[in-house]
Amino acid sequence: QVQLVESGGGLVQAGGSLRLSCAASVSFSFKTMAWYRQAPGKQREVVAQIFSSGITNYDDSVKGRFTISRDNAKRTLYLQMSSLNTEDTGVYYCNSAPPYPSWGQGTQVTVSS
Protein backbone atom coordinates (compact mmCIF):
# COMPACT_ATOMS: atom_id res chain seq x y z
CA GLN A 1 0.00 0.00 0.00
CA VAL A 2 1.35 3.38 -0.97
CA GLN A 3 2.11 5.75 1.86
CA LEU A 4 2.04 9.49 1.29
CA VAL A 5 3.28 11.92 3.91
CA GLU A 6 2.59 15.60 3.45
CA SER A 7 4.35 18.36 5.35
CA GLY A 8 5.09 22.06 5.28
CA GLY A 9 1.72 23.55 6.09
CA GLY A 10 1.09 26.16 8.72
CA LEU A 11 -0.43 29.50 9.55
CA VAL A 12 0.56 32.36 7.28
CA GLN A 13 -0.66 35.88 6.64
CA ALA A 14 -2.28 36.78 3.36
CA GLY A 15 0.38 37.54 0.80
CA GLY A 16 2.79 35.07 2.34
CA SER A 17 4.35 31.90 1.01
CA LEU A 18 4.65 28.25 1.95
CA ARG A 19 6.32 25.24 0.44
CA LEU A 20 4.63 21.89 0.82
CA SER A 21 6.37 18.55 0.45
CA CYS A 22 5.04 15.06 -0.02
CA ALA A 23 7.14 11.96 0.46
CA ALA A 24 5.96 8.77 -1.19
CA SER A 25 6.85 5.24 -0.13
CA VAL A 26 7.06 4.03 -3.71
CA SER A 27 8.41 5.38 -6.94
CA PHE A 28 6.03 7.61 -8.88
CA SER A 29 8.29 8.36 -11.81
CA PHE A 30 5.74 7.25 -14.37
CA LYS A 31 2.71 8.63 -12.58
CA THR A 32 0.87 11.88 -12.96
CA MET A 33 0.96 13.41 -9.49
CA ALA A 34 -1.24 16.10 -8.04
CA TRP A 35 -1.90 18.32 -5.08
CA TYR A 36 -5.44 18.33 -3.81
CA ARG A 37 -7.08 20.83 -1.49
CA GLN A 38 -10.04 20.36 0.76
CA ALA A 39 -11.38 23.66 1.97
CA PRO A 40 -13.68 23.80 5.00
CA GLY A 41 -17.10 22.47 4.06
CA LYS A 42 -16.07 21.68 0.49
CA GLN A 43 -15.08 18.63 -1.47
CA ARG A 44 -11.49 17.79 -2.21
CA GLU A 45 -10.32 19.29 -5.49
CA VAL A 46 -7.20 19.20 -7.63
CA VAL A 47 -5.25 22.45 -7.54
CA ALA A 48 -2.15 21.38 -9.45
CA GLN A 49 -0.90 18.35 -11.32
CA ILE A 50 2.34 17.35 -12.94
CA PHE A 51 2.70 14.71 -15.61
CA SER A 52 5.61 12.28 -15.79
CA SER A 53 6.94 14.46 -18.61
CA GLY A 54 7.12 17.43 -16.28
CA ILE A 55 4.26 19.26 -17.90
CA THR A 56 2.11 21.02 -15.32
CA ASN A 57 -1.49 22.04 -15.07
CA TYR A 58 -3.16 24.34 -12.56
CA ASP A 59 -6.60 25.23 -11.41
CA ASP A 60 -7.45 28.79 -12.41
CA SER A 61 -7.66 29.80 -8.76
CA VAL A 62 -3.94 29.16 -8.21
CA LYS A 63 -2.48 29.75 -11.64
CA GLY A 64 0.48 32.10 -11.50
CA ARG A 65 0.81 31.74 -7.72
CA PHE A 66 1.50 28.03 -7.15
CA THR A 67 4.23 25.90 -8.68
CA ILE A 68 4.20 22.11 -8.57
CA SER A 69 7.41 20.16 -9.01
CA ARG A 70 8.69 16.67 -8.49
CA ASP A 71 11.94 14.93 -7.61
CA ASN A 72 11.53 11.37 -8.81
CA ALA A 73 14.83 10.24 -7.33
CA LYS A 74 13.69 11.38 -3.88
CA ARG A 75 10.10 10.24 -4.45
CA THR A 76 9.03 13.70 -3.34
CA LEU A 77 6.42 16.07 -4.69
CA TYR A 78 6.47 19.79 -3.93
CA LEU A 79 4.07 22.71 -4.05
CA GLN A 80 5.48 26.21 -3.82
CA MET A 81 2.68 28.56 -2.87
CA SER A 82 2.99 32.34 -2.98
CA SER A 83 0.67 35.33 -2.75
CA LEU A 84 -1.55 33.25 -0.53
CA ASN A 85 -5.05 34.44 0.20
CA THR A 86 -7.74 33.31 2.62
CA GLU A 87 -9.40 31.17 -0.03
CA ASP A 88 -6.29 28.98 -0.10
CA THR A 89 -7.07 27.79 3.42
CA GLY A 90 -7.62 24.07 3.65
CA VAL A 91 -5.99 20.70 4.06
CA TYR A 92 -3.60 19.87 1.25
CA TYR A 93 -3.02 16.31 0.11
CA CYS A 94 -0.82 14.81 -2.52
CA ASN A 95 -1.73 11.76 -4.53
CA SER A 96 -1.52 10.44 -8.02
CA ALA A 97 -4.08 11.51 -10.61
CA PRO A 98 -6.29 9.57 -10.63
CA PRO A 99 -5.61 8.96 -6.95
CA TYR A 100 -4.39 5.84 -5.20
CA PRO A 101 -7.06 4.41 -2.87
CA SER A 102 -5.11 5.47 0.22
CA TRP A 103 -4.53 9.06 1.25
CA GLY A 104 -2.06 10.65 3.62
CA GLN A 105 -3.05 12.74 6.59
CA GLY A 106 -2.66 15.96 4.66
CA THR A 107 -1.12 19.19 5.84
CA GLN A 108 -3.18 22.12 7.09
CA VAL A 109 -2.71 25.50 5.47
CA THR A 110 -4.39 28.44 7.15
CA VAL A 111 -4.17 31.90 5.64
CA SER A 112 -5.17 34.78 7.86
CA SER A 113 -6.34 38.13 6.55
Side-chain angles (χ1 to χ4, degrees):
Q1 184 169 338
V2 176
Q3 291 186 326
L4 301 162
V5 180
E6 301 91 348
S7 62
L11 174 62
V12 63
Q13 287 190 331
S17 300
L18 284 173
R19 189 191 193 208
L20 307 184
S21 298
C22 169
S25 61
V26 298
S27 172
F28 55 58
S29 300
F30 301 106
K31 287 277 192 179
T32 296
M33 297 298 293
W35 283 97
Y36 299 75
R37 175 174 66 201
Q38 187 162 20
K42 295 187 178 181
Q43 290 191 339
R44 194 176 295 168
E45 60 179 358
V46 174
V47 296
Q49 59 182 349
I50 183 166
F51 298 93
S52 57
S53 63
I55 293 174
T56 58
N57 191 34
Y58 299 92
D59 184 81
D60 285 346
S61 66
V62 307
K63 200 171 293 184
R65 301 186 298 118
F66 289 12
T67 302
I68 187 173
S69 60
R70 62 195 296 161
D71 186 331
N72 291 332
K74 294 183 178 179
R75 301 199 301 257
T76 303
L77 186 71
Y78 302 99
L79 186 67
Q80 178 68 48
M81 306 187 295
S82 60
S83 301
L84 286 162
N85 59 58
T86 56
E87 294 186 352
D88 296 319
T89 293
V91 181
Y92 286 71
Y93 302 87
C94 73
N95 210 321
S96 60
Y100 295 113
S102 59
W103 293 80
Q105 81 288 350
T107 188
Q108 174 71 47
V109 172
T110 303
V111 184
S112 64
S113 57

